[in-house]
Amino acid sequence: MYRLLIVDDEEMITDGLYEILAGCDLDLDLCKAYSGREALSWLHQTRVDIVLSDIRMPGIDGMQLLSIIKRNWPHCRLIFLTGYSDFDSVYRAIQTPDVQYLLKSEGYPKVIQAVGQAVAELDDSLRVNGLIQRAQEKLKTLEVLARGEYFRHLLHGASPAPSLAADFLKLNIPLDADRPIYLAQGDLSRISSAVSSYANRHESAMAIMLLAESLLNGQVRSLGMIDRFGDPLWLIQESADRAYGNEAEEGASVLPYLVGQFELIQSSCSKSLDLSVAVTLADRPCDWTKLSGTYDKMKRQRQIRTGDGAQMVQTVNMEASCCAKERSPRDKSDALSVHLDAGRRDEFLLLFDELTQSERDNGAPYLLELYYTISLVLLSYVNRWELENQVSGVSALMRHDEFESWKEAFAFLRTTAMALFELRSSGESNRAAEAILKVRAYIEGHLDEDLSLVRLAGYIHFNPSYLSRLFKQECGVNLSEYIEAARIERAKELLRNDELKVLEVGVRVGYEASQSFTRFFKKTMGVTPVEYRDASRTVREIR
């Protein structure tokens, strides 16, 4: 879903465009601003894909917005809508890539056509198979392999050497050893059925990494790699020229840019690669000395996600100090532990079955070691997530002699693992239901306020695209449709009570302009608010 921001200092024009575009079949998340300053607030807190803006506005005008958008959201399309014959502004607008210009006198059909064209251009820009193919050679170079191996060494506990800057120079790493970095992790755990082998999974991770490089290019410095568990990982630094020093951009942050670009990366992965990837993103940069601890904390945070996590961009609060690392005692349990933590049921069971087949070829000492190796993985998971009262027979994990044969013992471990995966799945579903109940309660209590997708997503601490998808999945209707229905029901209730003026009723359900409320009500109910109130009075009198 693309996000469109409507900007005009004339309220009736902004509201009219909002209502017209809301009725089009373009699958857009619509936002509106009544000034350039208010538009900047939107641009600083979330990704915007299309801006439909007046050129002439008091304060920050359309051309100033153009400059800021092109610097901070380079993939955004702009459509300028004005009633002025301002040759200089028009000339500059049409000379800028991805910018259209329309006269207000051309009417709504032309606006809808321009927005549709912008959507089509965005779709085309995300289909980057050609880019991936052209970059395959780059992935095969020794330089890329050396970079990945170097950072995997740092991620898994090695302390950065005093010669970090020299190492970066030698390996041609495009990052500054003296500046902190953001860390972002991709999660391919939800595509296990499509990525059945190590080679296929690795190829998918590389394709996602390359695609991300093209969409992050310019605004930040980034280096992508694949971690030891087969997931893409990005080290990111804010570009030196991306500085917010002027009044117009006061309060801006690189974090909304990263969240927005990873949403685009997810959309592009879906369109170009038919892959779904979740992203975990640190909410602030860390020093190189804390890279390993930050990485471990983010891996653990992936456990606490709502719903199935697909297409989610989850930000992790890194303010608290990173926990000590939790390493499994034996190397052979590493992969099992990772699959269990990531919720990869199929991969876990496949590896489990491969390991336990050794019963035929090895003696009791090896089988005893294997039993306790797997038991420790399961027991560690149970303890970390406090599941001892929800899984039967936990005490037997450390008592292999309770079983009559190794076959029975390993069958018990497999059953316990299956129970843990079931608990994880039900927990995700329960958290999704609780989150949506919270959103619905907020909507009911704030019908007179801004209920944009961006604001609701901020309230629940999700990214907007994920909230939209999760709400539809849980409730069966689009979030915007639910809000409209709630506002209509509240308006009908207030109109039947006959205590407030129609204008006051409109304000109570989020419509400051009486004309906008009347259009909204009639579109849904087929009658105006006044006609509905008169009909309600007649019914009461008859009774």
Side-chain angles (χ1 to χ4, degrees), residues 486-541:
R487 281 176 161 154
I488 280 292
E489 289 304 312
R490 180 67 57 82
K492 288 161 60 178
E493 177 186 342
L494 294 174
L495 289 169
R496 288 195 299 267
N497 288 342
D498 213 12
E499 296 176 358
L500 301 173
K501 296 179 180 179
V502 170
L503 175 61
E504 293 172 321
V505 171
V507 171
R508 293 282 185 93
V509 296
Y511 286 86
E512 296 288 341
S514 59
Q515 300 96 325
S516 296
F517 173 58
T518 298
R519 284 196 299 269
F520 162 71
F521 193 90
K522 186 171 183 180
K523 176 185 174 183
T524 305
M525 299 301 298
V527 295
T528 66
V530 173
E531 292 169 341
Y532 181 85
R533 169 169 280 174
D534 290 342
S536 298
R537 285 173 180 165
T538 302
V539 170
R540 287 199 303 271
E541 289 170 358

Side-chain angles (χ1 to χ4, degrees), residues 39 64 154 158 178 270 295 320 322 417 444 463-464:
Q64 288 174 290
L154 295 181
D178 297 321
S270 178
Y295 174 70
C322 291
E444 294 295 336
N463 59 299

